[in-house]
Structure formats: C-alpha cells, structure tokens
C-alpha cells in the first residue's frame, strides 16, 4: 500500500522552475533538460504505480517478476519511442512543409503512445522517448528554421491549452461554498 502511494506521489511538476528559468533568461536547453527529466520521472512513476497496483490487487509479490515487468514496461516503452522518433525524423528530413512536419510530431506523440499501449509497454515513456528524438534529432537535422518556429508555436499552444484544461477540470471538482 505504501509503495503504491509513493509511486503515485513520485510525479514532479517543474512549472514553477521553468517559469523562473524564463524570467531569469536561463538557456532554453537547460529548461528542456529539466522538463525532460520530469517527464521521465512521471513515466517511471506510472510504471511503478502499475506494478504496485497489480501486486496489491493480486495479493502476491514476486520480486523477480516485478523487476522483469518493470524492465518490460520501461525499456520496451523507451525502445518503441526511439523507433517511432527515428522513423518519423527520417521522414521529416525528406519533407519541407511545416504542416506535414508538425503532423509528424503529432503522430510521434500519439502514435508512439498507442503503439506502446498496444504491445503492453509504457505508452508514456514511448511518448517521452519519441519527443526527445524528434526534438533533438529530427528537428535539428530535418526541419527548416521556419518549420521549427511553427512547430514550437504549435506545441507551446497545445501545452497551454492542456494545462488550462487541467486547471479548469480541477476547478470544476472543487466544492463551491458561499461565505
């Protein structure tokens, strides 16, 4: 039970750190590293939560089985993400159209998640790995400056929209009281 709770609380949210980085003019590369590390922590936390929940529900704990499942989910998820990221990065190198290349980044995100979940590995870690490959390899090797700017604007907007949606949903769940 305690391990389940700990895996649930393992997620980190670097929003305040990233906001401070931007105010202080810290290089974007450092902010990307902090955000990436946070996403890997989140993905690992979800994998650990899945394992802990399975142990709690089954009532059986087999250490070697838990380690094997952790490796299957995490390493498998990263492998799927790397494969999808590299494949779509190679496609990006053959195209010079911002809309098509942004679509490739969206396919990398959603497609790697769906593929990972379909083959029973961590879809979340697949997304993180695919994004890291697309952002560090595909973007630099295959995208023009114009496309990079368009992709950054698109994903900044998507992040803003999803963060707003999360806070809106949280707000709707809070009880309304009159004073």
């Amino acid at each position: 039970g305690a391990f389940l709770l700990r895996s649930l609380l393992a997620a980190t949210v670097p929003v305040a750190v990233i906001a401070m980085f931007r105010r202080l003019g810290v290089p974007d590369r450092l902010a990307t590293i902090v955000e990436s590390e946070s996403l890997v922590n989140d993905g690992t936390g979800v994998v650990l939560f899945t394992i802990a929940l399975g142990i709690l529900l089954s009532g059986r704990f087999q250490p070697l089985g838990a380690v094997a499942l952790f490796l299957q989910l995490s390493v498998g998820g990263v492998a799927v993400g790397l494969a999808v990221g590299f494949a779509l990065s190679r496609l990006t190198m053959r195209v010079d159209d911002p809309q098509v290349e942004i679509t490739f980044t969206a396919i990398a995100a959603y497609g790697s998640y769906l593929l990972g979940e379909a083959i029973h590995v961590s879809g979340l870690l697949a997304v993180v790995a695919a994004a890291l490959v697309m952002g560090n390899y595909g973007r630099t090797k295959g995208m023009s400056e114009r496309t990079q700017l368009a992709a950054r604007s698109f994903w900044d907007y998507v992040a803003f929209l999803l963060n707003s949606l999360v806070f809106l949903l949280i707000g709707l769940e809070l009880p309304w009281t009159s004073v």
Side-chain angles (χ1 to χ4, degrees):
F3 189 73
L4 181 70
L5 179 62
R6 177 61 188 117
S7 65
L8 186 63
L9 298 175
T12 57
V13 181
V15 173
V17 173
I18 300 305
M20 183 174 60
F21 279 4
R22 291 206 171 110
R23 263 185 298 208
L24 295 174
V26 172
D28 285 342
R29 183 83 175 137
L30 182 58
T32 300
I33 291 169
V34 169
E35 286 178 312
S36 300
E37 186 269 338
S38 174
L39 291 171
V40 170
N41 283 349
D42 294 350
T44 304
V46 169
V47 168
L48 291 173
F49 178 82
T50 302
I51 293 169
L53 185 61
I55 291 168
L56 195 62
L57 292 176
S58 71
R60 292 178 295 162
F61 174 63
Q62 298 171 340
L64 290 178
V67 169
L69 184 57
F70 176 80
L71 290 174
Q72 173 194 335
L73 292 173
S74 58
V75 174
V78 169
V80 165
L82 292 174
V84 169
F86 277 115
L88 288 169
S89 291
R90 300 296 294 172
L91 282 175
T92 299
M93 292 175 196
R94 298 178 182 274
V95 175
D96 187 21
D97 182 339
Q99 285 78 22
V100 172
E101 292 175 83
I102 290 169
T103 301
F104 287 161
T105 66
I107 291 170
Y110 196 55
S112 60
Y113 178 82
L114 290 177
L115 180 58
E117 291 295 315
I119 62 172
H120 306 291
V121 299
S122 173
L124 188 54
L125 287 175
V127 171
V128 171
L132 287 171
V133 171
M134 290 291 291
N136 291 296
Y137 177 69
R139 180 182 56 83
T140 60
K141 301 285 187 201
M143 291 184 182
S144 67
E145 288 293 325
R146 180 178 70 127
T147 300
Q148 288 182 40
L149 181 61
R152 178 177 283 267
S153 296
F154 171 77
W155 285 108
D156 283 348
Y157 177 71
V158 169
F160 168 78
L161 184 66
L162 293 176
N163 279 324
S164 298
L165 183 61
V166 166
F167 283 106
L168 177 66
L169 292 172
I170 290 170
L172 291 173
E173 287 299 312
L174 295 175
W176 290 85
T177 60
S178 57
V179 180

